Amino acid sequence: MQTDPMTETRIGLNALRDQLRQPRSQLKGRQATPEARAEVQALIGMPPADGHRRDLLIEHLHALNDCFHGLFERHIVALASEMRLPVVEVFEVASFYHHFNILKDDQTAPSITVRVCDSLSCSLAGSNALLSQLQHELLNVNVVPVPCLGRCEQAPAAQVGQQAVALATVASVTGRVTAQQTAPNPLPEAIRFDAYQRAGGYQLALQVAAGLKPHESVIGCLETSGLRGLGGAGFQAGRKWRIVRSQPGPRLMAVNIDEGEPGTFKDRTCLEADPHRFLEGVLIAASVVGCDAVYIYLRDEYHEARVLLTEELAALQLNPPCALPRIELRRGAGAYICGEESAMIESIEGQRGEPRLRPPYIAEVGLFGRPTLAHNFETLYWIRELLEDGADRFAAHGRYGRQGLRRFSVSGRVRQPGVKLAPAGITLRELVDEYCGGMADGQTLYAYLPGGASGGILPARLADVPLDFDTLQPHGCFIGSAAVMVLGQHDSAREAALNVMKFFAHESCGQCTPCRVGTDKAAQLMTAEVWDADTLQDLAQVMGDASICGLGQAAPNPIRCVLDYFPHEVGGCV
Amino acid sequence: MSTVHFTLNGLAVEAPAGKSIFNIAKDLGIAIPHLCHKEGLAPDGNCRACVVEVAGERTLAPSCCRCPSPGMQVRTDSERAIKSQKMVLEMLLADLPEQGYKWLDDRAQAPHGELSQWAEHHGVEVRPALAVLRREAVPADLSHPAMAVNLDACIQCNRCQRACRDLQVNDVIGLAFRGAHTQVVFDVADPMGASSCVGCGECVQACPTGALMPKSHIGPQKVDREVDSVCPFCGVGCLVTFQVRDEKIISVKGREGPANEGRLCVKGRFGMDYIHSPDRITKPLIRKIGVAKDVHLMDGRTDWREVFREATWEEALDLAAQPFNALRSQYGPKSLAGFGSAKGSNEEAYLFQKLVRTGFGSNNVDHCTRLCHASSVAALLEGVGSGAVSNPVRDVEHSDLIIVIGSNPTANHPVAATWMKNAAQRGTRIVLADPRITDISRHTWRTLQFKVDTDVALLNSMLHVIVTENLCNEEFLSQRADNVAELKAHVQGFTPEAMSLVCGIPAETIREVARAYASAKAAMILWGMGVSQHVHGTDNVRCLIALASITGQIGRPGTGLHPLRGQNNVQGASDAGLIPMMFPNYQRVNDPSAHDWFEKFWNTPLDDQPGYTVVEIMHKALAPESDPHKVRGMYIMGENPAMSDPDLNHARHALASLQHLVVQDIFLTETAWLADVVLPASAWPEKTGTVSNTDRTVQMGRQAVLPPGDAKPDLWIIQQIAERMGLCWPYSGEHDGVAQVYDEMRQAMAQAIGGIDWARLNAGSVTYPCVSADDPGQPIVFHDHFPTQDGRVCLVPAELIAANEQPDADYPMVLITGRQLEHWHTGSMTRRATVLDALEPGATVSMCSAELVRLGLQAGQRVRIASRRGEVALQVRCDDGTPLGTVFIPFAYVEAAANELTNAALDPVGKIPEFKYCAVRVSAL
């Protein structure tokens, strides 16, 4: 083709080339703008002499996310600069947590975010239809499905901004959106500091702190009671105290209220009712184990509980019954994995919530590299009662040779879902019949999940197995946090298994290959009408054997249970 | 060391406690697949390809992160372990694209580097059920000029992140998002080319699968040969391996070396293709008769053929040498001068100075050390008796405090800076003292942004604090220092309160830093040209010597004085005698015994008076005819004074005024443009020779490719000139007798390198002083004495001296010149390296945003900067690290040559020009 060397095109191309060769007008990478820097400073303050605390990064991200309804890139850059952190370090932390809504600088933040729970119990209660209706009707609102909100007894559950909506309907959600009702609900029933103290609260903590109650006797009581960690792992509480106490100081304590296991809502229920019973347990544990500081990690979904706990901590600190350790309340940001104790510790340090490799164990090398006592909320909630009533009384409960009491979070197809304080070792059938008023109308027991999403799925024929630590392992299941979800004859185990596998894929931290790739591929394979059992078994094996933490290790439980107990649902032999 | 007994695959094994199962197995020849694990990076245990079975444990254990405990029974080869190892490989492989980016050798069927290698090892193939679930492809990110990002080949092993953050501490790469969406990101998931990436390429070197690759080496990894050498750029002295295919260097790998441990920066890794530039001179050139010597003809429009004609070597060498002979006979030896090069080898430097001293007949030989650390060397020779560093850079890992003053190490000594940043990560406190706040400040404990030109005020006030608060190391002073009382008395007047008004640092901060330095268990001072390039450069360094001495922070690991050397061989060139007042190894030309020794050694009479320095030679070139020392002929090898000297209009005028100028270079530089004869030389990767880095480590560079066309090795050219000047040199052997030249130099420098023979260098790097074959070399010196006459350090008080040219109403601002990461020295090499040129394509002047507001300017706009000597036009870059009232210009850009503005005023002792301070005016264009 003939071209005229003097055409405009050529000149244009040369000009373009020159333009491309313009040197940058600033340093490499994004630079903090004065405006964004000022906005960040207004929220987090000017840096102290030795700089902002690195571990408060997530708190600072919350401040920005709350204020601007999202995290704009310009704020991430400015926050990094203010905290003298690499931009990428702030970004990778922010992008790990689902509740941080990262926005390009030219995007518009949603005025309201509506979250609709899509976990199993809410799904059984029709949350999928609710979600799609809301997405259809609320056009200028960010309506998103979210994993378990911890309100399975109120299914379907939703959140408008920071306000929880129980038994949500299109009308109850849109009403709140229209009225801009986004603040956390009040909790009028909670026992506040004065009432708690008037009723004899904190006497025990005072005695322990003053040495009137020997520390050894406290640990002895825990040991006699057989109290085990109630977050799911079930480690002997008394033994844990002894181990951490024997480590060199300074020692720290981390309290796990990241109650994210689908089906679990006992911690929230107790916290919203009687926060100081828990705090007194904290004080006693810190005193006996000798922890200088306590970090309470509360999942971000529990806005009501956070408001309450913030107020009650302030009341306690204003009027301390004894010398208090430093107590900091930390806010999760939407990550199930942070219920894993080492991931929680990472998160408290302001990092991505990626579980650590063990050894070393966190009792030796935990928070900020210090020996750390990590406890679930409920474990501490029991302390006062155990010490006041005596270990024997607690240990006297139990059925089928099991010992103690358990709080079961029961949801699904039962007449009266809720937190049920029942003897350890109770069977599912007894639990439903004696504590839940039986199955819901028209429902016949088909299957149940004894331990949330991770604990596996059992068929109705195994409804007479005692529910406790160690009793379900022979059946390929475990009790975990005692979140019992009950399925009826119209439900399917494969749907339940797919629901929880999608949940694991959504919540996998992505660190290790078996869990990151395995949950994702398994969830895809599990949509097939006829399952590829060989491939799923292979995935199950590598996930169970080679994942870093319990999430990936337990994720294949529903696969195996469906293949073992419900093969007819996935095209296998009955 | 305690050991652990355990069982590995049924074998009883004893291993050191704390050693990983992986490493124990490796030593026993047991191969375990591994992807996220790489030697040199902290084990992470995320890929799980290396899991092994431990008897009695519920789950498998990652062997890279697990150490055996006594009695443990481990199997790397159990059915269960192998099953998971294979599944991990299959799962990862299932998500990778069919066409990969890092083929094993030249096999397209093994396209994913280490992943393909381990898949082959275990015979893993992806089953169809997983192949159909391959994740969605991510578009390639090709925004960076040097590196391709293909995240479809990423396995999230985070080796790149650890390389970027743990090793280089450039902190650009992270793993963001979560679960299957976990993704390698740059900053806030920006394209790599738009991110804060500094292009060190450590990520590329770390990536196991080819998700991050050098654009020049994607696909087949097979090369024709790999040649071990040294990086030709800065003084850090990183070892490299050139990858050669079809007689071109297609990529560069970092090699394990004492200074770099495999690390490189953007120049070393991606800046090597300057040697293949079409601008290379490939034939000798001779100036056409009657063509004016005018550098302004280098405007990109004038063809070089209008100025020069090509010639044969025979003709060019005759035309180069004969006028030297004629000038020498007519005007005497002082009429000739030579500039050698800090970019060449030790052998070239040695021969060049020998040529000048024995052939030209005077000591008029110098090189660019005059422009960088001449004042440092002067003060160090006076104070501690040696111009070299006392401790290597990597000694910062033993320091609990380091002072970095007048230095921008992340830009100018990037790999050295990584060791400082690593130290900071481990808790070493870095104090940055510099008028410009640069990248290293993100890692500092305290940043002292003192006012330009007030170094002595700051340092004297620190000395004052240490003296008045009794923080001196009196034992050290009484045993090892002279002139202590004078120094102590002198600094009495310099209170932090008074000096705070001068230097702008709060008195309390001065006290805090002084106390911290004095009381540190080990503290080190590293400095650059911000200290040396002043008319009081020598005084600045005297203060640093005093600081180290009165606190006893010298002579031990983690202490001492380290002037960071700029050029790859500025240390070696100075050692080799490429300076006018010293023979090799700093033996003074007017010291009778040294003079006699060299007259005998070289078997020829020698001048016993020091020659002229770089800037003085330029003056002498313009001296009146009556001046008996007027310089009329020059031989310049591999230097570019027409860009690097201060007050360029003057320097270029001086060069153009010479009767005879011979320039030996690889490009037609601004200096070569003014030459009568231009001799095409060889680039560093085209020759074999040794260089000495900033740590005093001597290292060997080896020829990787042939010079282009008729270009010749420099060593050959020097010998040809020598021959034509009547010298009879006997060097023979391969590479133009380089080994014999080295051996002669070794005899002349026996006190430094006597123990390092050629064979030893061929085997590996050695640090001098090293005086015998069994001497391992001494990275740290001054343990118990200084190489001064009385063995003691001499403390020299310093007064406050102002810069030569102060701002005034006409020229109200201060210009600081310097370098930037991508461009090295005058840019003759780096601006012809395609990647470096793409990253920094044009001249900029940096100002802080407050200054821009004050002057009503916008970042990106073009401005004119004028001084009393010249003016340049360039683009504004916003850099808030630049102090108010000040502009910064890198001097690598011929189209806006910063040195047209600079002031040629000299430090009276070091004879170094004041590149770091002159008065300028800024105006919008």
Side-chain angles (χ1 to χ4, degrees):
Chain A
M1 193 177 75
Q2 288 285 329
T3 51
D4 178 358
M6 296 305 286
T7 56
E8 282 297 307
T9 314
R10 265 191 68 143
I11 293 163
L13 276 177
N14 283 334
L16 182 66
R17 202 169 289 129
D18 282 346
Q19 202 181 334
L20 286 174
R21 289 186 50 82
Q22 287 290 305
R24 282 171 289 104
S25 61
Q26 57 171 37
L27 299 175
K28 292 188 185 78
R30 296 181 190 229
Q31 307 294 315
T33 64
E35 300 76 24
R37 193 187 289 280
E39 286 170 334
V40 169
Q41 285 169 348
L43 286 169
I44 73 167
M46 298 301 287
D50 279 312
H52 286 289
R53 276 170 61 183
R54 169 67 181 79
D55 62 305
L56 291 179
L57 174 60
I58 292 171
E59 295 294 314
H60 296 334
L61 289 170
H62 271 306
L64 286 162
N65 197 55
D66 287 351
C67 178
F68 298 100
H69 299 273
L71 278 177
F72 287 97
E73 289 171 337
R74 59 179 178 272
H75 291 137
I76 290 177
V77 173
L79 178 63
S81 173
E82 285 294 294
M83 294 184 75
R84 292 183 87 201
L85 290 174
V87 168
V88 74
E89 199 170 319
V90 177
F91 183 78
E92 64 184 2
V93 170
S95 66
F96 184 84
Y97 296 95
H98 290 312
H99 291 183
F100 295 135
N101 183 22
I102 296 176
L103 298 167
K104 302 267 175 214
D105 284 336
D106 56 2
Q107 279 182 296
T108 309
S111 58
I112 295 180
T113 294
V114 171
R115 297 185 160 90
V116 179
C117 178
D118 70 356
S119 281
L120 185 55
S121 295
C122 287
S123 178
L124 296 176
S127 66
N128 295 350
L130 175 67
L131 174 71
S132 52
Q133 280 176 315
L134 287 172
Q135 282 174 333
H136 186 70
E137 290 194 13
L138 294 170
L139 287 179
N140 294 316
V141 174
N142 185 32
V143 183
V144 288
V146 293
C148 189
L149 286 169
R151 297 179 178 274
C152 322
E153 85 283 23
Q154 307 164 358
Q159 262 179 355
V160 176
Q162 298 194 347
Q163 185 167 102
V165 186
L167 303 170
T169 61
V170 172
S172 67
V173 171
T174 49
R176 283 174 170 82
V177 168
T178 312
Q180 300 279 309
Q181 265 179 262
T182 58
N185 296 305
L187 294 168
E189 307 296 321
I191 301 170
R192 301 284 178 153
F193 179 70
D194 288 342
Y196 182 78
Q197 210 173 21
R198 271 199 307 276
Y202 288 118
Q203 286 304 309
L204 200 57
L206 179 61
Q207 287 170 18
V208 172
L212 299 172
K213 194 162 186 70
H215 292 178
E216 190 51 41
S217 76
V218 176
I219 295 184
C221 172
L222 291 193
E223 285 170 336
T224 314
S225 71
L227 180 70
R228 292 170 70 165
L230 297 170
F235 196 84
Q236 297 283 349
R239 197 164 146 230
K240 194 186 270 186
W241 287 26
R242 258 191 216 295
I243 292 170
V244 179
R245 198 163 73 136
S246 69
Q247 299 293 320
R251 291 173 289 272
L252 302 172
M253 181 170 172
V255 184
N256 190 342
I257 327 182
D258 193 54
E259 186 175 54
E261 183 67 39
T264 317
F265 45 91
K266 62 183 176 66
D267 293 347
R268 176 184 56 76
T269 306
C270 296
L271 175 59
E272 288 180 350
D274 195 357
H276 290 281
R277 177 169 295 274
F278 152 68
L279 288 173
E280 184 159 11
V282 168
L283 297 187
I284 292 167
S287 185
V288 171
V289 177
C291 299
D292 303 338
V294 179
Y295 294 79
I296 301 173
Y297 190 85
L298 178 66
R299 74 183 303 216
D300 194 39
E301 288 80 351
Y302 290 175
H303 297 291
E304 283 80 5
R306 187 178 67 250
V307 171
L308 176 71
L309 194 52
T310 305
E311 289 171 3
E312 296 312 299
L313 268 172
L316 175 67
Q317 281 159 339
L318 194 67
N319 206 352
C322 54
L324 301 179
R326 188 159 58 80
I327 304 177
E328 295 193 18
L329 176 59
R330 292 301 179 80
R331 187 173 164 190
Y336 164 72
I337 190 60
C338 291
E340 199 277 350
E341 61 179 6
S342 66
M344 171 184 70
I345 280 173
E346 289 286 313
S347 190
I348 293 172
E349 292 180 359
Q351 311 281 1
R352 290 163 65 81
E354 291 180 355
R356 296 179 181 173
L357 271 62
R358 264 60 65 95
Y361 296 93
I362 64 157
E364 300 158 337
V365 183
L367 192 53
F368 306 115
R370 301 308 315 166
T372 301
L373 177 70
H375 264 315
N376 162 256
F377 169 91
E378 192 196 348
T379 318
L380 295 160
Y381 193 77
W382 274 108
I383 304 293
R384 179 179 169 193
E385 191 170 327
L386 288 181
L387 293 178
E388 283 182 349
D389 296 358
D392 296 338
R393 193 153 149 198
F394 177 81
H397 293 281
R399 294 185 190 178
Y400 307 105
R402 311 303 301 176
Q403 185 180 313
L405 288 166
R406 294 297 309 261
R407 280 192 178 82
F408 293 90
S409 309
V410 187
S411 62
R413 308 294 189 190
V414 296
R415 192 182 300 280
Q416 293 157 8
V419 175
K420 313 294 175 183
L421 186 62
I426 190 170
T427 67
L428 183 275
R429 204 178 303 283
E430 291 166 348
L431 184 64
V432 171
D433 290 347
E434 297 174 31
Y435 289 83
C436 303
M439 294 293 287
D441 287 341
Q443 296 286 344
T444 313
L445 179 67
Y446 172 67
Y448 68 103
L449 290 81
S454 353
I457 308 174
L458 290 172
R461 68 182 161 84
L462 291 174
D464 300 315
V465 177
L467 300 177
D468 197 5
F469 294 119
D470 315 324
T471 59
L472 298 169
Q473 272 79 348
H475 306 286
C477 292
F478 60 77
I479 184 89
S481 57
V484 177
M485 293 182 277
V486 180
L487 305 185
Q489 77 276 24
H490 303 300
D491 304 321
S492 91
R494 68 173 288 154
E495 283 305 319
L498 180 59
N499 181 293
V500 301
M501 190 57 76
K502 281 182 175 167
F503 167 77
F504 288 132
H506 187 257
E507 295 301 322
S508 166
C509 80
Q511 187 183 189
C512 68
T513 310
C515 177
R516 180 185 69 245
V517 183
T519 54
D520 184 59
K521 301 295 182 215
Q524 293 183 61
L525 291 169
M526 287 162 74
T527 59
E529 180 144 342
V530 177
W531 279 13
D532 179 345
D534 287 344
T535 302
L536 281 167
Q537 288 283 19
D538 280 350
L539 290 176
Q541 183 172 346
V542 69
M543 286 158 77
D545 273 352
S547 293
I548 290 177
C549 79
L551 190 158
Q553 290 162 13
N557 284 346
I559 298 177
R560 293 189 176 121
C561 286
V562 168
L563 289 171
D564 285 352
Y565 301 125
F566 309 94
H568 57 281
E569 287 195 30
V570 292
C573 313
V574 181
Chain B
M1 184 195 268
S2 65
T3 60
V4 175
H5 294 265
F6 75 112
T7 310
L8 184 63
N9 293 355
L11 285 167
V13 174
E14 180 181 359
K19 186 168 181 174
S20 69
I21 295 169
F22 178 89
N23 282 332
I24 296 166
K26 190 175 152 203
D27 289 352
L28 294 170
I30 301 170
I32 308 175
H34 59 283
L35 294 164
C36 71
H37 183 61
K38 183 173 191 281
E39 212 175 308
L41 297 174
D44 200 61
N46 68 63
C47 76
R48 317 305 277 186
C50 75
V51 287
V52 295
E53 187 165 3
V54 177
E57 294 194 357
R58 186 172 53 84
T59 55
L60 303 175
S63 58
C64 64
C65 292
R66 194 64 178 279
C67 302
S69 51
M72 191 185 259
Q73 291 179 41
V74 181
R75 289 217 76 99
T76 68
D77 59 354
S78 70
E79 194 183 333
R80 195 173 157 213
I82 298 279
K83 177 79 185 176
S84 276
Q85 293 171 9
K86 291 169 84 165
M87 275 308 293
V88 164
L89 296 170
E90 186 183 350
M91 289 160 95
L92 291 172
L93 214 44
D95 271 338
L96 262 59
E98 258 165 58
Q99 295 230 320
Y101 311 98
K102 193 176 192 178
W103 304 0
L104 296 180
D105 212 23
D106 57 356
R107 292 189 297 127
Q109 64 276 24
H112 302 306
E114 293 172 33
L115 180 54
S116 291
Q117 179 195 325
W118 288 114
E120 287 186 351
H121 172 88
H122 263 338
V124 170
E125 283 182 28
V126 178
R127 72 192 78 187
L130 288 175
V132 297
L133 299 181
R134 178 184 294 148
R135 66 188 174 193
E136 234 173 278
V138 196
D141 171 3
L142 303 176
S143 59
H144 194 278
M147 292 173 274
V149 185
N150 284 290
L151 293 184
D152 53 353
C154 176
I155 57 167
Q156 283 81 23
C157 68
N158 89 23
R159 270 162 55 166
C160 56
Q161 175 186 329
R162 281 174 281 159
C164 182
R165 285 161 67 176
D166 297 353
L167 297 189
Q168 290 266 353
V169 206
N170 288 327
D171 295 340
V172 181
I173 298 183
L175 258 76
F177 310 107
R178 195 206 278 188
H181 304 288
T182 303
Q183 186 196 319
V184 165
V185 296
F186 309 96
D187 295 343
V188 287
D190 282 329
M192 189 188 216
S195 75
S196 57
C197 170
V198 293
C200 71
E202 195 75 35
C203 55
V204 160
Q205 185 155 304
C207 179
T209 59
L212 293 158
M213 285 298 281
K215 283 182 170 172
S216 62
H217 200 170
I218 291 178
Q221 294 302 292
K222 191 175 185 178
V223 292
D224 297 334
R225 61 182 175 275
E226 296 192 330
V227 180
D228 286 347
S229 187
V230 192
C231 176
F233 291 107
C234 79
V236 173
C238 299
L239 297 191
V240 297
T241 299
F242 296 129
Q243 309 247 83
V244 181
R245 188 195 285 160
D246 298 332
E247 297 310 311
K248 294 241 191 284
I249 295 176
I250 59 161
S251 66
V252 180
K253 287 198 295 197
R255 184 160 64 95
E256 293 295 308
N260 69 313
E261 296 279 350
R263 303 174 186 189
L264 293 178
C265 78
V266 66
K267 294 189 286 289
R269 195 181 303 276
F270 297 121
M272 220 56 68
D273 69 342
Y274 73 92
I275 70 166
H276 303 306
S277 163
D279 291 352
R280 284 292 296 274
I281 328 171
T282 57
K283 280 195 167 24
L285 303 177
I286 290 166
R287 175 169 292 275
K288 288 185 171 173
I289 293 165
V291 179
K293 292 182 172 181
D294 181 0
V295 95
H296 292 105
L297 288 175
M298 280 188 83
D299 51 6
R301 287 187 292 275
T302 309
D303 193 295
W304 62 268
R305 289 176 192 81
E306 294 173 27
V307 180
F308 296 103
R309 66 176 172 86
E310 291 181 343
T312 63
W313 271 103
E314 206 53 39
E315 182 190 10
L317 288 166
D318 287 343
L319 281 177
Q322 295 323 324
F324 288 145
N325 290 326
L327 288 168
R328 185 182 53 188
S329 351
Q330 189 176 350
Y331 298 103
K334 299 276 189 193
S335 65
L336 301 178
F339 288 169
S341 176
K343 302 173 200 72
S345 67
N346 285 320
E347 296 75 23
E348 290 160 5
Y350 175 81
L351 270 202
F352 190 89
Q353 60 88 35
K354 185 178 171 185
L355 170 71
V356 171
R357 293 199 155 102
T358 63
F360 288 8
S362 81
N363 290 312
N364 279 349
V365 61
D366 206 358
H367 73 293
C368 66
T369 189
R370 195 64 42 210
L371 308 178
C372 57
H373 268 306
S375 50
S376 303
V377 171
L380 287 166
L381 285 172
E382 165 193 86
V384 300
S386 160
V389 302
S390 70
N391 297 56
V393 174
R394 287 189 64 186
D395 235 27
V396 295
E397 68 191 34
H398 304 296
S399 312
D400 47 7
L401 185 142
I402 63 176
I403 294 178
V404 178
I405 179 165
S407 166
N408 179 7
T410 52
N412 297 331
H413 303 88
V415 173
T418 66
W419 303 114
M420 302 178 201
K421 293 183 282 187
N422 290 157
Q425 284 178 320
R426 287 192 297 265
T428 300
R429 290 167 293 170
I430 298 180
V431 175
L432 172 67
D434 201 307
R436 296 172 65 219
I437 297 182
T438 53
D439 282 348
I440 193 84
S441 73
R442 209 162 46 74
H443 308 274
T444 54
W445 169 64
R446 294 292 179 261
T447 299
L448 313 180
Q449 190 179 21
F450 65 88
K451 289 183 195 157
V452 195
D453 194 38
T454 64
D455 314 53
V456 172
L458 173 68
L459 298 171
N460 269 353
S461 66
M462 287 174 65
L463 287 165
H464 172 97
V465 173
I466 292 165
V467 167
T468 56
E469 298 189 6
N470 296 320
L471 299 170
C472 295
N473 185 332
E474 295 296 347
E475 188 188 342
F476 182 94
L477 288 176
S478 67
Q479 290 172 8
R480 301 191 55 187
D482 290 333
N483 219 21
V484 175
E486 289 84 342
L487 182 91
K488 284 185 173 180
H490 175 75
V491 299
Q492 288 296 331
F494 295 85
T495 65
E497 287 69 21
M499 290 305 102
S500 172
L501 301 174
V502 180
C503 70
I505 303 299
E508 212 27 65
T509 308
I510 295 174
R511 289 185 189 281
E512 181 188 33
V513 170
R515 289 169 190 151
Y517 175 77
S519 57
K521 281 206 280 293
M524 188 163 166
I525 301 173
L526 302 106
W527 72 93
M529 261 130 263
V531 164
S532 60
Q533 289 176 335
H534 286 282
V535 290
H536 47 80
T538 306
D539 279 342
N540 292 347
V541 179
R542 285 169 172 156
C543 292
L544 298 176
I545 295 167
L547 264 179
S549 302
I550 65 166
T551 54
Q553 298 284 20
I554 193 161
R556 289 175 285 124
T559 67
L561 296 162
H562 191 118
L564 285 155
R565 296 313 188 115
Q567 310 248 7
N568 59 329
N569 199 34
V570 69
Q571 183 64 54
S574 304
D575 296 344
L578 210 55
I579 38 183
M581 56 294 272
M582 279 114 166
F583 292 127
N585 203 28
Y586 306 96
Q587 303 173 72
R588 293 197 177 268
V589 295
N590 50 7
D591 168 8
S593 69
H595 185 259
D596 288 354
W597 193 93
F598 276 98
E599 282 198 336
K600 286 198 189 83
F601 189 61
W602 286 331
N603 194 25
T604 188
L606 296 171
D607 184 4
D608 61 1
Q609 289 308 307
Y612 291 110
T613 60
V614 167
V615 178
E616 288 169 335
I617 286 171
M618 289 297 124
H619 290 315
K620 283 293 175 192
L622 291 173
E625 286 296 322
S626 57
D627 187 334
H629 288 182
K630 179 179 173 68
V631 171
R632 298 163 195 273
M634 279 193 77
Y635 180 16
I636 299 179
M637 170 196 154
E639 292 241 313
N640 192 10
M643 276 295 285
S644 61
D645 275 19
D647 191 2
L648 278 186
N649 289 326
H650 174 270
R652 289 168 179 177
H653 176 50
L655 289 165
S657 305
L658 292 167
Q659 280 182 44
H660 184 56
L661 173 60
V662 177
V663 172
Q664 172 177 330
D665 212 309
I666 60 173
F667 295 114
L668 202 54
T669 62
E670 293 72 18
T671 305
W673 193 261
L674 303 174
D676 296 280
V677 179
V678 182
L679 304 174
S682 48
W684 179 248
E686 295 158 2
K687 56 196 181 189
T688 291
T690 67
V691 282
S692 305
N693 74 356
T694 190
D695 295 333
R696 292 182 267 105
T697 304
V698 191
Q699 315 194 94
M700 186 168 302
R702 294 176 185 82
Q703 184 179 20
V705 290
L706 291 169
D710 286 344
K712 293 285 187 188
D714 296 78
L715 212 55
W716 180 85
I717 303 172
I718 300 168
Q719 292 177 56
Q720 291 298 315
I721 298 281
E723 190 183 309
R724 282 164 179 75
M725 294 194 73
L727 299 172
C728 186
W729 288 351
Y731 311 110
S732 62
E734 56 179 1
H735 300 298
D736 306 295
V738 64
Q740 288 190 3
V741 176
Y742 177 80
D743 197 58
E744 179 182 316
M745 181 174 82
R746 187 164 71 95
Q747 293 173 49
M749 300 174 59
Q751 292 311 306
I753 59 170
I756 314 175
D757 66 16
W758 189 256
R760 195 168 167 185
L761 278 177
N762 215 3
S765 309
V766 187
T767 300
Y768 70 83
C770 172
V771 294
S772 65
D774 53 2
D775 180 350
Q778 297 166 45
I780 301 170
V781 292
F782 312 150
H783 290 288
D784 46 17
H785 80 287
F786 293 94
T788 50
Q789 288 218 316
D790 63 358
R792 295 158 71 91
V793 56
C794 177
L795 305 184
V796 183
E799 293 289 352
L800 302 187
I801 295 170
N804 177 269
E805 181 185 55
Q806 294 296 322
D808 56 19
D810 292 336
Y811 298 95
M813 297 186 64
V814 173
L815 165 69
I816 302 177
T817 65
R819 291 204 272 131
Q820 59 191 162
L821 173 64
E822 288 80 1
H823 288 304
W824 191 61
H825 211 235
T826 65
S828 59
M829 293 154 68
T830 51
R831 295 202 74 200
R832 289 176 172 97
T834 44
V835 165
L836 302 176
D837 177 52
L839 288 168
E840 285 289 7
T844 56
V845 52
S846 295
M847 290 180 238
C848 64
S849 42
E851 189 72 70
L852 296 180
V853 171
R854 202 171 67 95
L855 298 175
L857 298 172
Q858 301 284 327
Q861 151 178 18
R862 283 180 70 79
V863 293
R864 174 180 289 119
I865 312 283
S867 79
R868 288 189 173 78
R869 294 156 293 279
E871 62 176 52
V872 296
L874 31 54
Q875 184 179 314
V876 173
R877 174 171 290 174
C878 179
D879 174 357
D880 284 334
T882 312
L884 207 60
T886 303
V887 301
F888 173 80
I889 306 180
F891 68 93
Y893 298 90
V894 62
E895 67 273 31
N899 281 324
E900 291 191 34
L901 308 174
T902 49
N903 183 1
L906 297 184
D907 173 287
V909 186
K911 303 290 170 72
I912 190 170
E914 191 154 59
F915 287 116
K916 290 293 189 250
Y917 198 105
C918 74
V920 294
R921 177 173 64 215
V922 179
S923 50
L925 266 179

